[in-house]
Amino acid sequence: KKASDDAFKHHLIDLSALTYQSVPLNPSLVDMTKDLKKLIVVTESKAQWRHSSSGIYWIVDRNTLEAQPIYSIDEKPQKLYYAKLSPNGDYVYFNFKGNLFLKSIEKGKITQVTQDGDDSLIFNGKSDWVYEEEVLATDKAIWWSPDGKQFAYIRWDESNVPVYNLEFFKYDKYPSVDSLKYPKPGYPTPTVSLHVYNIEKSKLIKIKQPW
């Protein structure tokens, strides 16, 4: 809708019309390509911490209204931490269980960029609780070159961070307990490193730190 012309409207898509295997998705919009032909939507989104969540992410063809899960195992759509489009719209990048993946929009081919991710210890391109809350104010830690040919990301290793049992009063008079890696003063903090992935060369390098 144009602010300069109140009468102008352009309808892109009715999200309520999207289905998968005849089941309504009822999704929320996440991202779209610059030509508006492909969209990323999310369903079953569940909050984790202040800025993070997980959900089932889908890629949608706006012309056909066909929705396909971005990542499946044994034909079952998997919950991801996030999924977004690269700057040039050629790829979807997403995080599954602490690992980074790329999916080609044109060919549908999936490349697993990292292999050592872990839901509780190793995070690639996804900030841990401490950095999400105190430093980055986001759960995404990946930065693309303008041409979309490579990106940098942060890797967190929380192996030496002590565990803190946090009480939550959610649904009952008695609290539930969630355990998280929480470095109090004087205790080990997450080990952080910076990495760069070149898509054309399928090359992953670790940036040398100056200390």
Side-chain angles (χ1 to χ4, degrees):
K1 184 173 176 67
K2 291 182 179 178
S4 59
D5 182 1
D6 289 341
F8 178 86
K9 294 181 180 180
H10 182 65
H11 183 265
L12 289 176
I13 191 171
D14 180 6
L15 293 179
S16 66
L18 297 180
T19 63
Y20 180 68
Q21 297 179 347
S22 301
V23 178
L25 290 179
N26 301 315
S28 298
L29 179 65
V30 174
D31 205 354
M32 64 177 65
T33 56
K34 292 180 180 179
D35 60 9
L36 308 181
K37 292 182 179 180
K38 301 285 186 180
L39 299 89
I40 294 178
V41 299
V42 63
T43 60
E44 301 181 34
S45 182
K46 182 180 180 181
Q48 184 183 25
W49 307 118
R50 188 191 300 263
H51 305 283
S52 56
S53 62
S54 62
I56 299 177
Y57 286 80
W58 310 78
I59 188 162
V60 179
D61 187 296
R62 189 169 68 88
N63 292 324
T64 64
L65 295 184
E66 181 183 9
Q68 292 294 328
I70 288 176
Y71 189 61
S72 297
I73 296 178
D74 296 330
E75 299 184 358
K76 182 180 179 180
Q78 298 295 303
K79 278 203 165 189
L80 313 175
Y81 282 122
Y82 62 74
K84 295 279 288 182
L85 288 160
S86 63
N88 54 18
D90 290 342
Y91 295 92
V92 177
Y93 63 96
F94 62 92
N95 193 293
F96 176 66
K97 292 187 175 180
N99 278 313
L100 277 173
F101 293 74
L102 289 177
K103 184 170 186 175
S104 169
I105 293 290
E106 180 181 355
K107 299 179 180 179
K109 179 184 176 182
I110 294 177
T111 300
Q112 185 170 345
V113 177
T114 65
Q115 306 289 333
D116 59 350
D118 183 282
D119 268 335
S120 59
L121 293 177
I122 307 293
F123 302 94
N124 294 287
K126 180 195 181 302
S127 53
D128 73 330
W129 179 86
V130 174
Y131 276 76
E132 175 185 334
E133 180 67 26
E134 304 291 349
V135 182
L136 299 176
T138 177
D139 64 331
K140 301 172 186 65
I142 178 169
W143 299 272
W144 285 79
S145 62
D147 60 9
K149 294 182 178 180
Q150 55 187 346
F151 58 83
Y153 69 90
I154 294 178
R155 175 186 182 271
W156 282 268
D157 183 347
E158 294 197 318
S159 300
N160 296 321
V161 180
V163 172
Y164 186 87
N165 293 321
L166 194 63
E167 291 185 340
F168 286 94
F169 289 84
K170 296 179 180 179
Y171 311 112
D172 204 346
K173 294 180 180 180
Y174 290 91
S176 60
V177 177
D178 284 356
S179 298
L180 74 156
K181 293 282 190 172
Y182 187 99
K184 287 192 172 186
Y187 288 85
T189 58
T191 302
V192 177
S193 56
L194 182 65
H195 304 253
V196 173
Y197 183 73
N198 185 297
I199 297 175
E200 292 181 343
K201 297 179 180 179
S202 299
K203 186 177 182 180
L204 180 62
I205 62 171
K206 180 181 179 180
I207 301 299
K208 184 178 180 180
Q209 293 171 287
W211 57 83

mmCIF file of all heavy atoms in Angstrom, residues 53-86:
data_model
loop_
_atom_site.group_PDB
_atom_site.id
_atom_site.type_symbol
_atom_site.label_atom_id
_atom_site.label_comp_id
_atom_site.label_asym_id
_atom_site.label_seq_id
_atom_site.Cartn_x
_atom_site.Cartn_y
_atom_site.Cartn_z
ATOM 1 N N SER A 53 13.674 -18.637 19.497
ATOM 2 C CA SER A 53 12.512 -19.518 19.399
ATOM 3 C C SER A 53 12.862 -20.678 18.475
ATOM 4 O O SER A 53 13.934 -20.716 17.875
ATOM 5 C CB SER A 53 11.294 -18.759 18.853
ATOM 6 O OG SER A 53 11.567 -18.282 17.542
ATOM 7 N N SER A 54 11.949 -21.615 18.366
ATOM 8 C CA SER A 54 12.084 -22.694 17.395
ATOM 9 C C SER A 54 10.726 -22.912 16.744
ATOM 10 O O SER A 54 9.687 -22.558 17.313
ATOM 11 C CB SER A 54 12.572 -23.986 18.057
ATOM 12 O OG SER A 54 11.631 -24.428 19.026
ATOM 13 N N GLY A 55 10.738 -23.471 15.551
ATOM 14 C CA GLY A 55 9.485 -23.711 14.841
ATOM 15 C C GLY A 55 9.742 -24.487 13.565
ATOM 16 O O GLY A 55 10.892 -24.737 13.193
ATOM 17 N N ILE A 56 8.675 -24.893 12.905
ATOM 18 C CA ILE A 56 8.786 -25.551 11.598
ATOM 19 C C ILE A 56 8.716 -24.471 10.529
ATOM 20 O O ILE A 56 7.737 -23.725 10.445
ATOM 21 C CB ILE A 56 7.675 -26.592 11.401
ATOM 22 C CG1 ILE A 56 7.777 -27.683 12.481
ATOM 23 C CG2 ILE A 56 7.767 -27.212 10.009
ATOM 24 C CD1 ILE A 56 6.676 -28.713 12.410
ATOM 25 N N TYR A 57 9.764 -24.386 9.727
ATOM 26 C CA TYR A 57 9.862 -23.352 8.700
ATOM 27 C C TYR A 57 9.559 -23.951 7.324
ATOM 28 O O TYR A 57 9.956 -25.082 7.027
ATOM 29 C CB TYR A 57 11.251 -22.722 8.703
ATOM 30 C CG TYR A 57 11.481 -21.792 9.882
ATOM 31 C CD1 TYR A 57 11.813 -22.304 11.136
ATOM 32 C CD2 TYR A 57 11.364 -20.409 9.745
ATOM 33 C CE1 TYR A 57 12.012 -21.457 12.220
ATOM 34 C CE2 TYR A 57 11.566 -19.557 10.814
ATOM 35 C CZ TYR A 57 11.892 -20.086 12.046
ATOM 36 O OH TYR A 57 12.086 -19.248 13.114
ATOM 37 N N TRP A 58 8.881 -23.149 6.509
ATOM 38 C CA TRP A 58 8.425 -23.586 5.199
ATOM 39 C C TRP A 58 8.842 -22.584 4.145
ATOM 40 O O TRP A 58 8.914 -21.387 4.413
ATOM 41 C CB TRP A 58 6.900 -23.707 5.176
ATOM 42 C CG TRP A 58 6.320 -24.495 6.307
ATOM 43 C CD1 TRP A 58 6.134 -24.076 7.607
ATOM 44 C CD2 TRP A 58 5.855 -25.843 6.268
ATOM 45 N NE1 TRP A 58 5.586 -25.063 8.368
ATOM 46 C CE2 TRP A 58 5.393 -26.173 7.576
ATOM 47 C CE3 TRP A 58 5.752 -26.799 5.252
ATOM 48 C CZ2 TRP A 58 4.863 -27.406 7.889
ATOM 49 C CZ3 TRP A 58 5.228 -28.040 5.571
ATOM 50 C CH2 TRP A 58 4.787 -28.325 6.867
ATOM 51 N N ILE A 59 9.099 -23.080 2.943
ATOM 52 C CA ILE A 59 9.297 -22.205 1.789
ATOM 53 C C ILE A 59 8.074 -22.314 0.901
ATOM 54 O O ILE A 59 7.568 -23.408 0.635
ATOM 55 C CB ILE A 59 10.594 -22.544 1.030
ATOM 56 C CG1 ILE A 59 10.854 -21.484 -0.038
ATOM 57 C CG2 ILE A 59 10.559 -23.944 0.437
ATOM 58 C CD1 ILE A 59 12.277 -21.468 -0.523
ATOM 59 N N VAL A 60 7.576 -21.171 0.478
ATOM 60 C CA VAL A 60 6.295 -21.097 -0.226
ATOM 61 C C VAL A 60 6.491 -20.457 -1.593
ATOM 62 O O VAL A 60 7.153 -19.416 -1.715
ATOM 63 C CB VAL A 60 5.271 -20.284 0.581
ATOM 64 C CG1 VAL A 60 3.944 -20.190 -0.166
ATOM 65 C CG2 VAL A 60 5.060 -20.904 1.961
ATOM 66 N N ASP A 61 5.932 -21.073 -2.618
ATOM 67 C CA ASP A 61 5.864 -20.474 -3.957
ATOM 68 C C ASP A 61 4.602 -19.620 -4.014
ATOM 69 O O ASP A 61 3.496 -20.140 -3.863
ATOM 70 C CB ASP A 61 5.837 -21.559 -5.026
ATOM 71 C CG ASP A 61 5.926 -20.986 -6.431
ATOM 72 O OD1 ASP A 61 5.000 -20.253 -6.830
ATOM 73 O OD2 ASP A 61 6.914 -21.272 -7.125
ATOM 74 N N ARG A 62 4.773 -18.319 -4.218
ATOM 75 C CA ARG A 62 3.621 -17.426 -4.141
ATOM 76 C C ARG A 62 2.630 -17.649 -5.279
ATOM 77 O O ARG A 62 1.429 -17.433 -5.128
ATOM 78 C CB ARG A 62 4.076 -15.960 -4.136
ATOM 79 C CG ARG A 62 2.950 -14.975 -3.836
ATOM 80 C CD ARG A 62 3.485 -13.587 -3.574
ATOM 81 N NE ARG A 62 4.042 -12.982 -4.750
ATOM 82 C CZ ARG A 62 3.333 -12.268 -5.637
ATOM 83 N NH1 ARG A 62 2.036 -12.096 -5.455
ATOM 84 N NH2 ARG A 62 3.919 -11.731 -6.675
ATOM 85 N N ASN A 63 3.119 -18.103 -6.425
ATOM 86 C CA ASN A 63 2.224 -18.299 -7.567
ATOM 87 C C ASN A 63 1.368 -19.553 -7.417
ATOM 88 O O ASN A 63 0.181 -19.560 -7.736
ATOM 89 C CB ASN A 63 3.034 -18.377 -8.866
ATOM 90 C CG ASN A 63 3.685 -17.048 -9.210
ATOM 91 O OD1 ASN A 63 3.112 -15.987 -8.964
ATOM 92 N ND2 ASN A 63 4.887 -17.100 -9.766
ATOM 93 N N THR A 64 1.973 -20.631 -6.914
ATOM 94 C CA THR A 64 1.247 -21.902 -6.820
ATOM 95 C C THR A 64 0.662 -22.140 -5.422
ATOM 96 O O THR A 64 -0.137 -23.060 -5.250
ATOM 97 C CB THR A 64 2.174 -23.073 -7.169
ATOM 98 O OG1 THR A 64 3.223 -23.147 -6.198
ATOM 99 C CG2 THR A 64 2.778 -22.873 -8.557
ATOM 100 N N LEU A 65 1.116 -21.352 -4.439
ATOM 101 C CA LEU A 65 0.745 -21.533 -3.022
ATOM 102 C C LEU A 65 1.216 -22.878 -2.478
ATOM 103 O O LEU A 65 0.700 -23.365 -1.473
ATOM 104 C CB LEU A 65 -0.762 -21.390 -2.815
ATOM 105 C CG LEU A 65 -1.369 -20.009 -3.104
ATOM 106 C CD1 LEU A 65 -2.850 -20.005 -2.757
ATOM 107 C CD2 LEU A 65 -0.641 -18.929 -2.326
ATOM 108 N N GLU A 66 2.209 -23.467 -3.139
ATOM 109 C CA GLU A 66 2.770 -24.728 -2.655
ATOM 110 C C GLU A 66 3.734 -24.447 -1.503
ATOM 111 O O GLU A 66 4.651 -23.618 -1.641
ATOM 112 C CB GLU A 66 3.503 -25.463 -3.764
ATOM 113 C CG GLU A 66 4.092 -26.789 -3.318
ATOM 114 C CD GLU A 66 4.892 -27.477 -4.412
ATOM 115 O OE1 GLU A 66 5.140 -26.848 -5.457
ATOM 116 O OE2 GLU A 66 5.277 -28.644 -4.207
ATOM 117 N N ALA A 67 3.557 -25.125 -0.392
ATOM 118 C CA ALA A 67 4.429 -24.977 0.776
ATOM 119 C C ALA A 67 5.181 -26.274 1.019
ATOM 120 O O ALA A 67 4.578 -27.348 1.048
ATOM 121 C CB ALA A 67 3.612 -24.606 2.010
ATOM 122 N N GLN A 68 6.495 -26.163 1.192
ATOM 123 C CA GLN A 68 7.325 -27.322 1.473
ATOM 124 C C GLN A 68 8.183 -27.043 2.692
ATOM 125 O O GLN A 68 8.700 -25.942 2.863
ATOM 126 C CB GLN A 68 8.223 -27.646 0.276
ATOM 127 C CG GLN A 68 7.481 -28.138 -0.956
ATOM 128 C CD GLN A 68 6.810 -29.487 -0.716
ATOM 129 O OE1 GLN A 68 7.304 -30.317 0.056
ATOM 130 N NE2 GLN A 68 5.689 -29.719 -1.385
ATOM 131 N N PRO A 69 8.336 -28.037 3.588
ATOM 132 C CA PRO A 69 9.199 -27.831 4.749
ATOM 133 C C PRO A 69 10.637 -27.602 4.318
ATOM 134 O O PRO A 69 11.124 -28.230 3.380
ATOM 135 C CB PRO A 69 9.052 -29.134 5.544
ATOM 136 C CG PRO A 69 8.591 -30.145 4.541
ATOM 137 C CD PRO A 69 7.761 -29.395 3.547
ATOM 138 N N ILE A 70 11.316 -26.703 4.998
ATOM 139 C CA ILE A 70 12.700 -26.410 4.645
ATOM 140 C C ILE A 70 13.609 -27.586 4.975
ATOM 141 O O ILE A 70 14.541 -27.886 4.242
ATOM 142 C CB ILE A 70 13.156 -25.114 5.342
ATOM 143 C CG1 ILE A 70 12.474 -23.915 4.664
ATOM 144 C CG2 ILE A 70 14.674 -24.957 5.304
ATOM 145 C CD1 ILE A 70 12.759 -22.584 5.308
ATOM 146 N N TYR A 71 13.327 -28.272 6.074
ATOM 147 C CA TYR A 71 14.181 -29.409 6.450
ATOM 148 C C TYR A 71 13.325 -30.523 7.033
ATOM 149 O O TYR A 71 12.526 -30.294 7.944
ATOM 150 C CB TYR A 71 15.227 -28.960 7.480
ATOM 151 C CG TYR A 71 16.284 -29.988 7.772
ATOM 152 C CD1 TYR A 71 17.133 -30.448 6.771
ATOM 153 C CD2 TYR A 71 16.469 -30.496 9.055
ATOM 154 C CE1 TYR A 71 18.112 -31.384 7.028
ATOM 155 C CE2 TYR A 71 17.453 -31.439 9.332
ATOM 156 C CZ TYR A 71 18.275 -31.875 8.307
ATOM 157 O OH TYR A 71 19.241 -32.805 8.554
ATOM 158 N N SER A 72 13.497 -31.727 6.488
ATOM 159 C CA SER A 72 12.758 -32.901 6.952
ATOM 160 C C SER A 72 13.715 -34.065 7.178
ATOM 161 O O SER A 72 14.765 -34.157 6.533
ATOM 162 C CB SER A 72 11.699 -33.330 5.927
ATOM 163 O OG SER A 72 10.728 -32.323 5.742
ATOM 164 N N ILE A 73 13.348 -34.936 8.099
ATOM 165 C CA ILE A 73 14.055 -36.202 8.308
ATOM 166 C C ILE A 73 13.010 -37.312 8.215
ATOM 167 O O ILE A 73 12.002 -37.282 8.930
ATOM 168 C CB ILE A 73 14.754 -36.238 9.670
ATOM 169 C CG1 ILE A 73 15.853 -35.169 9.740
ATOM 170 C CG2 ILE A 73 15.357 -37.620 9.931
ATOM 171 C CD1 ILE A 73 16.570 -35.107 11.072
ATOM 172 N N ASP A 74 13.246 -38.247 7.313
ATOM 173 C CA ASP A 74 12.283 -39.329 7.066
ATOM 174 C C ASP A 74 10.898 -38.759 6.768
ATOM 175 O O ASP A 74 9.874 -39.246 7.275
ATOM 176 C CB ASP A 74 12.226 -40.285 8.255
ATOM 177 C CG ASP A 74 13.544 -41.006 8.500
ATOM 178 O OD1 ASP A 74 14.265 -41.235 7.509
ATOM 179 O OD2 ASP A 74 13.850 -41.314 9.659
ATOM 180 N N GLU A 75 10.894 -37.706 5.951
ATOM 181 C CA GLU A 75 9.670 -37.038 5.491
ATOM 182 C C GLU A 75 8.897 -36.355 6.618
ATOM 183 O O GLU A 75 7.736 -35.983 6.448
ATOM 184 C CB GLU A 75 8.755 -38.029 4.747
ATOM 185 C CG GLU A 75 9.407 -38.626 3.502
ATOM 186 C CD GLU A 75 8.463 -39.516 2.722
ATOM 187 O OE1 GLU A 75 7.304 -39.689 3.175
ATOM 188 O OE2 GLU A 75 8.870 -40.031 1.661
ATOM 189 N N LYS A 76 9.530 -36.175 7.756
ATOM 190 C CA LYS A 76 8.891 -35.472 8.860
ATOM 191 C C LYS A 76 9.528 -34.095 9.012
ATOM 192 O O LYS A 76 10.738 -33.999 9.274
ATOM 193 C CB LYS A 76 9.041 -36.251 10.168
ATOM 194 C CG LYS A 76 8.353 -35.571 11.348
ATOM 195 C CD LYS A 76 8.517 -36.377 12.629
ATOM 196 C CE LYS A 76 7.849 -35.667 13.798
ATOM 197 N NZ LYS A 76 7.994 -36.432 15.074
ATOM 198 N N PRO A 77 8.763 -33.009 8.863
ATOM 199 C CA PRO A 77 9.318 -31.659 9.021
ATOM 200 C C PRO A 77 9.924 -31.476 10.410
ATOM 201 O O PRO A 77 9.332 -31.872 11.409
ATOM 202 C CB PRO A 77 8.099 -30.752 8.818
ATOM 203 C CG PRO A 77 7.138 -31.562 8.006
ATOM 204 C CD PRO A 77 7.331 -32.972 8.471
ATOM 205 N N GLN A 78 11.119 -30.871 10.439
ATOM 206 C CA GLN A 78 11.848 -30.703 11.685
ATOM 207 C C GLN A 78 11.761 -29.257 12.191
ATOM 208 O O GLN A 78 11.693 -28.312 11.411
ATOM 209 C CB GLN A 78 13.321 -31.062 11.490
ATOM 210 C CG GLN A 78 13.543 -32.510 11.077
ATOM 211 C CD GLN A 78 13.111 -33.488 12.151
ATOM 212 O OE1 GLN A 78 13.589 -33.440 13.284
ATOM 213 N NE2 GLN A 78 12.203 -34.392 11.803
ATOM 214 N N LYS A 79 11.805 -29.129 13.506
ATOM 215 C CA LYS A 79 11.826 -27.797 14.108
ATOM 216 C C LYS A 79 13.239 -27.218 14.008
ATOM 217 O O LYS A 79 14.224 -27.896 14.319
ATOM 218 C CB LYS A 79 11.387 -27.852 15.570
ATOM 219 C CG LYS A 79 9.873 -27.876 15.735
ATOM 220 C CD LYS A 79 9.462 -27.386 17.107
ATOM 221 C CE LYS A 79 7.979 -27.061 17.152
ATOM 222 N NZ LYS A 79 7.576 -26.378 18.389
ATOM 223 N N LEU A 80 13.317 -25.957 13.569
ATOM 224 C CA LEU A 80 14.579 -25.254 13.411
ATOM 225 C C LEU A 80 14.626 -24.082 14.376
ATOM 226 O O LEU A 80 13.589 -23.569 14.802
ATOM 227 C CB LEU A 80 14.727 -24.741 11.973
ATOM 228 C CG LEU A 80 14.415 -25.724 10.845
ATOM 229 C CD1 LEU A 80 14.503 -25.010 9.501
ATOM 230 C CD2 LEU A 80 15.356 -26.920 10.896
ATOM 231 N N TYR A 81 15.850 -23.634 14.692
ATOM 232 C CA TYR A 81 15.980 -22.448 15.532
ATOM 233 C C TYR A 81 15.621 -21.184 14.743
ATOM 234 O O TYR A 81 15.022 -20.262 15.272
ATOM 235 C CB TYR A 81 17.393 -22.333 16.084
ATOM 236 C CG TYR A 81 17.637 -23.260 17.252
ATOM 237 C CD1 TYR A 81 18.648 -24.207 17.215
ATOM 238 C CD2 TYR A 81 16.848 -23.188 18.393
ATOM 239 C CE1 TYR A 81 18.880 -25.060 18.285
ATOM 240 C CE2 TYR A 81 17.060 -24.032 19.471
ATOM 241 C CZ TYR A 81 18.078 -24.957 19.406
ATOM 242 O OH TYR A 81 18.294 -25.808 20.466
ATOM 243 N N TYR A 82 16.014 -21.156 13.476
ATOM 244 C CA TYR A 82 15.641 -20.039 12.601
ATOM 245 C C TYR A 82 15.890 -20.426 11.153
ATOM 246 O O TYR A 82 16.606 -21.394 10.868
ATOM 247 C CB TYR A 82 16.393 -18.747 12.950
ATOM 248 C CG TYR A 82 17.901 -18.808 12.812
ATOM 249 C CD1 TYR A 82 18.523 -18.806 11.564
ATOM 250 C CD2 TYR A 82 18.720 -18.852 13.933
ATOM 251 C CE1 TYR A 82 19.896 -18.848 11.436
ATOM 252 C CE2 TYR A 82 20.097 -18.898 13.823
ATOM 253 C CZ TYR A 82 20.682 -18.893 12.568
ATOM 254 O OH TYR A 82 22.050 -18.948 12.447
ATOM 255 N N ALA A 83 15.291 -19.680 10.245
ATOM 256 C CA ALA A 83 15.537 -19.836 8.813
ATOM 257 C C ALA A 83 15.333 -18.482 8.156
ATOM 258 O O ALA A 83 14.333 -17.808 8.406
ATOM 259 C CB ALA A 83 14.596 -20.867 8.196
ATOM 260 N N LYS A 84 16.307 -18.082 7.329
ATOM 261 C CA LYS A 84 16.256 -16.777 6.661
ATOM 262 C C LYS A 84 16.835 -16.917 5.257
ATOM 263 O O LYS A 84 17.516 -17.892 4.937
ATOM 264 C CB LYS A 84 17.057 -15.737 7.434
ATOM 265 C CG LYS A 84 16.509 -15.401 8.812
ATOM 266 C CD LYS A 84 15.352 -14.411 8.749
ATOM 267 C CE LYS A 84 15.846 -13.021 8.376
ATOM 268 N NZ LYS A 84 14.754 -12.034 8.347
ATOM 269 N N LEU A 85 16.598 -15.901 4.434
ATOM 270 C CA LEU A 85 17.129 -15.876 3.075
ATOM 271 C C LEU A 85 18.470 -15.149 3.033
ATOM 272 O O LEU A 85 18.681 -14.162 3.744
ATOM 273 C CB LEU A 85 16.152 -15.172 2.139
ATOM 274 C CG LEU A 85 14.869 -15.932 1.797
ATOM 275 C CD1 LEU A 85 13.799 -14.976 1.291
ATOM 276 C CD2 LEU A 85 15.151 -17.010 0.754
ATOM 277 N N SER A 86 19.365 -15.638 2.175
ATOM 278 C CA SER A 86 20.622 -14.932 1.936
ATOM 279 C C SER A 86 20.325 -13.607 1.239
ATOM 280 O O SER A 86 19.233 -13.419 0.682
ATOM 281 C CB SER A 86 21.544 -15.792 1.062
ATOM 282 O OG SER A 86 20.963 -16.022 -0.211
#
